[in-house]
């Protein structure tokens, strides 16, 4: 559930659900040795005269009525044509033969492409699923071979192959690319075919040289290793009296582990002192005042408030290789910021190859999210400036019985108490689902109760295959119409426990979206949803009804109010984090040559500034740099805005579906909208643009009801 709980480091690429685009993007990120040997760095190579000659020839053949399409097609091909694709003569011959005037041959070619790309993407999806069978399914002991098969990418060279075979050039010559601005301003009036055409051309808009992608992959992986090794040995944190407030052996990764430990301490009567120590650790990391020697080192004790280091007299864990036993207090030399800048410098090398979006910032917002940066900022500010923020903060202070402190941005006390005990629920699910087959057999009933007609429930059940999972469970969609979506679920010997059932219902929501979005959709080029936030929102709608499906009563209105307050407070926190991330990237582009120390100082300033604007008045302290602790900032290249966007999108979709009864037909209509921009999807789906309003009004209503 990546959009609701930023626990795991996300992939550096926001997954686009349109399968071919996703497969090509994945291929671009993979290091293909064959691709590296290709002469891929040459700049666009066609002389103006060649373009002019081709233009005259095409106009003579097809007439002035085709002039706009001819000019567009030539420009689109020229941008990505390299010397090794052929000389001017080859270019002229190619465009002369392959340009199609509007009309029947063009329509037929569009249909062929749509079918072909459904097959290419679809078979790669099913092949990858088959290759991952050993690691994903409970089919006996895991073999070393299983890991190798799972890591093998049969599509690694797909993008290169589509250019080399000139299929990509045929697309670019005949079908339009669009800018985000066009999709936003004109897309509302586009036909489904026009949307499908723009999704057809999009994967070929840019052609990034292999060595640039290699540098990008290397920068992300270096930063990723740095973050993965950034652990704090909690038993070796000393308080003011030299005591050890944290248990032996506890090793927490920054920031997830530290933040989740801080959250868990709300349930602990002695928790506040521990939370303050964790906050001190986080601020030392952000300011790079943390002694480099204490990172992941159980040989040294550290007092993070006084920032002193001594040799530890307590042994609770084996030290990693190279851990120093010398109590060196020298600070970490801005490595954190050097890693972040490493990704920036690698992205700078991509910039000249994406002239429409010549910065990582532009690519992230315009290509990946398809929501302009200014709009994202406006959405976040609408949450951060909502006057109810003060009232929610006051409510939290009342519930805690003390004034708020900066770390209370991570308050988690708005959890509803369950009406049923976990044991009671386990008993019910185990009796109902003794095996994977029992759950599979129940899918038509589950779907009918969720509000789908008997006919649709049967259609869906027929397109969902249920498999025994090694892990907790996941959904794996298909990408061709005749393939099935797979629901992976875990059933222990005594039957399915409640946790497993709850996950299975969530994953089944993904499967239903996948089947409607692939098999029932009008254009497979539009299959999927705009981004993962939409996917998760639709799955949560299912998960939210899991008790009803067991014949029990749903969580009551009070639980809904607590959920709204929890979502608002969490969105507020992560929106602040995202604004820091966004400002930091702007600063890097304004100061491309800066030293890591200057960047560190800038990020601390930015974090303090965002804090003072939106948090200081609520949490009682100024100049706090805590928002800059997120590790995703360092290793994921401007990913953090996806979290608050995910919360807002999920809230808006769930609020819309909550009003539908039965919801089956409306759920299907939403899933069949496909991979439009988030804005177009929202307008056609829920009748309003992307907005924070549903969350803000739910939080306001909750404030009236909760005390
Ligand atoms: Zn999910």
């Amino acid at each position: 559930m990546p959009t609701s709980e930023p626990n795991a480091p996300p992939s550096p690429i926001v997954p686009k659900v349109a399968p071919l685009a996703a497969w090509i993007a994945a291929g671009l990120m993979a290091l293909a040795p064959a691709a590296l040997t290709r002469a891929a760095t040459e700049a666009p190579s066609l002389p103006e005269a060649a373009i002019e000659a081709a233009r005259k020839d095409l106009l003579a053949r097809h007439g002035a009525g085709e002039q706009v399409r001819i000019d567009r097609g030539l420009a689109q091909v020229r941008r990505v044509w390299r010397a090794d694709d052929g000389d001017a003569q080859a270019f002229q011959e190619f465009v002369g033969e392959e340009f199609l005037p509007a009309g029947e041959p063009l329509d037929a070619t569009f249909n062929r492409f749509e079918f072909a790309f459904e097959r290419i993407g679809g078979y790669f999806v099913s092949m990858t699923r088959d290759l991952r069978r050993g690691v994903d399914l409970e089919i006996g002991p895991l073999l070393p071979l299983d890991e190798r098969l799972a890591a093998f990418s049969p599509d690694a060279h797909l993008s290169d192959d589509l250019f080399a075979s000139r299929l990509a050039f045929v697309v670019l010559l005949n079908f339009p690319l669009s800018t985000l601005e066009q999709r936003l301003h004109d897309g509302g009036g586009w036909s489904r075919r026009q949307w499908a055409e723009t999704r057809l051309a999009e994967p070929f808009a840019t052609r990034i040289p292999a060595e640039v992608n290699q540098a990008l992959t290397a920068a992300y992986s270096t930063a990723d290793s740095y973050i993965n090794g950034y652990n704090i040995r909690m038993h070796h944190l000393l308080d003011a009296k030299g005591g050890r407030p944290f248990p032996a052996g506890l090793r927490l990764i920054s920031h997830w582990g530290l933040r989740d430990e801080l959250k868990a301490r709300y349930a602990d009567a002695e928790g506040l002192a521990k939370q303050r120590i964790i906050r001190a650790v986080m601020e030392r990391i952000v300011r790079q005042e943390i002694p480099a020697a204490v990172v992941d080192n159980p040989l040294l004790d550290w007092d993070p408030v006084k920032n002193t280091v001594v040799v530890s007299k307590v042994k609770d864990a084996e030290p990693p290789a190279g851990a120093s036993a010398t109590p060196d207090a020298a600070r970490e030399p801005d490595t954190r910021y050097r890693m972040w800048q490493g990704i920036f410098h690698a992205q700078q090398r991509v910039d000249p190859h994406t002239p429409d979006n010549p910065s990582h910032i532009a690519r992230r917002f315009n290509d990946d999210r398809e929501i302009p940066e200014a709009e994202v900022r406006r959405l976040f500010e609408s949450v951060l400036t909502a006057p109810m923020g003060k009232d929610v903060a006051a409510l939290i202070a009342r519930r805690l019985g003390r004034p708020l402190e900066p770390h209370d941005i991570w308050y988690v006390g708005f959890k509803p108490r369950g009406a049923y005990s976990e044991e009671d629920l386990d008993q019910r699910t185990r009796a109902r689902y003794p095996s994977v087959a029992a759950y599979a057999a129940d899918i038509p009933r589950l779907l009918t109760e969720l509000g789908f007609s008997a006919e649709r429930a049967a259609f869906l059940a027929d397109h969902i295959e249920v498999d025994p999972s090694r892990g907790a469970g996941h959904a794996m969609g298909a990408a061709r119409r005749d393939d099935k979506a797979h629901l992976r679920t875990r059933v222990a010997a005594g039957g399915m426990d409640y946790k497993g059932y709850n996950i299975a219902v969530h994953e089944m929501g993904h499967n239903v979206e996948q089947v409607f979005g692939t098999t029932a959709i009008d254009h497979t080029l539009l299959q999927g949803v705009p981004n993962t936030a939409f996917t998760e929102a639709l799955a949560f709608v299912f998960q939210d009804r899991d008790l009803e499906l067991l014949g029990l009563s749903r969580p009551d209105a009070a639980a809904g109010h607590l959920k709204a307050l929890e979502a608002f407070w969490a969105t507020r926190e992560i929106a602040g984090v995202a604004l820091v991330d966004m400002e930091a990237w702007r600063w890097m582009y304004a100061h491309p040559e800066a030293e890591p120390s200057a960047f560190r100082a800038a990020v601390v300033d930015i974090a303090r500034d965002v804090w003072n604007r939106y948090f200081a008045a609520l949490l009682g302290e100024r100049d706090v740099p805590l928002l800059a602790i997120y590790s995703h900032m360092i290793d994921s290249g401007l990913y953090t805005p996806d979290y608050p966007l995910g919360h807002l999108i999920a809230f808006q979709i769930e609020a819309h579906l909550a009003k539908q009864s039965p919801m089956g037909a409306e759920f299907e209509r939403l899933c069949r909208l496909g991979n439009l921009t988030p804005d177009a999807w929202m307008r056609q789906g829920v009748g309003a643009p992307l907005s924070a309003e549903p969350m803000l009004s739910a939080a306001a209503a909750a404030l009236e009801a909760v005390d």
Side-chain angles (χ1 to χ4, degrees), residues 1-2 506-507 510 535-536 539-540 543:
M1 304 171 215
H506 173 95
E507 304 304 340
H510 284 315
T535 279
E536 292 304 327
F540 280 122
Q543 190 175 10

Side-chain angles (χ1 to χ4, degrees), residues 351-362:
D351 295 349
H353 303 281
T354 59
D356 293 336
N357 293 299
S359 74
H360 180 56
I361 302 172

Side-chain angles (χ1 to χ4, degrees), residues 99-117:
F99 179 82
L100 294 165
E104 266 173 40
L106 183 72
D107 294 345
T109 301
F110 169 80
N111 291 333
R112 291 283 198 287
F113 264 129
E114 179 158 59
F115 178 73
F117 284 163

Side-chain angles (χ1 to χ4, degrees), residues 27 30-39 152-153 156-157 160 210-211 214:
L31 286 182
L36 292 180
T37 59
R38 247 184 120 223
F152 172 62
S153 334
H157 306 160
D160 278 329
E211 73 271 16
Q214 185 187 28

Side-chain angles (χ1 to χ4, degrees), residues 246-328:
F246 295 96
L250 187 61
R251 176 178 183 252
L252 297 179
I253 190 162
S254 178
H255 71 280
W256 308 269
L258 294 172
R259 183 205 55 195
D260 292 349
E261 176 69 15
L262 193 157
K263 285 182 174 181
R265 293 301 124 218
Y266 281 104
D268 172 357
E270 309 296 311
L272 183 58
K274 294 171 197 164
Q275 291 175 326
R276 287 175 178 157
I277 291 176
I278 293 172
R279 174 191 162 193
V281 170
M282 290 175 162
E283 294 196 3
R284 296 286 184 201
I285 294 172
V286 169
R287 296 183 195 276
Q288 291 284 274
E289 294 160 348
I290 180 173
V294 307
V295 175
D296 207 16
N297 188 352
L299 301 175
L300 302 176
D301 287 343
W302 176 37
D303 175 338
V305 175
K306 290 194 211 108
N307 210 14
T308 49
V309 184
V310 292
V311 174
S312 185
K313 294 190 187 79
V314 172
K315 188 177 174 188
D316 70 328
E318 280 306 315
S324 165
T326 313
D328 183 354

Side-chain angles (χ1 to χ4, degrees), residues 346 383 509 563 639 641 648 659:
V383 174
K563 205 177 142 191
Y639 184 91
L648 294 174
K659 286 181 262 171

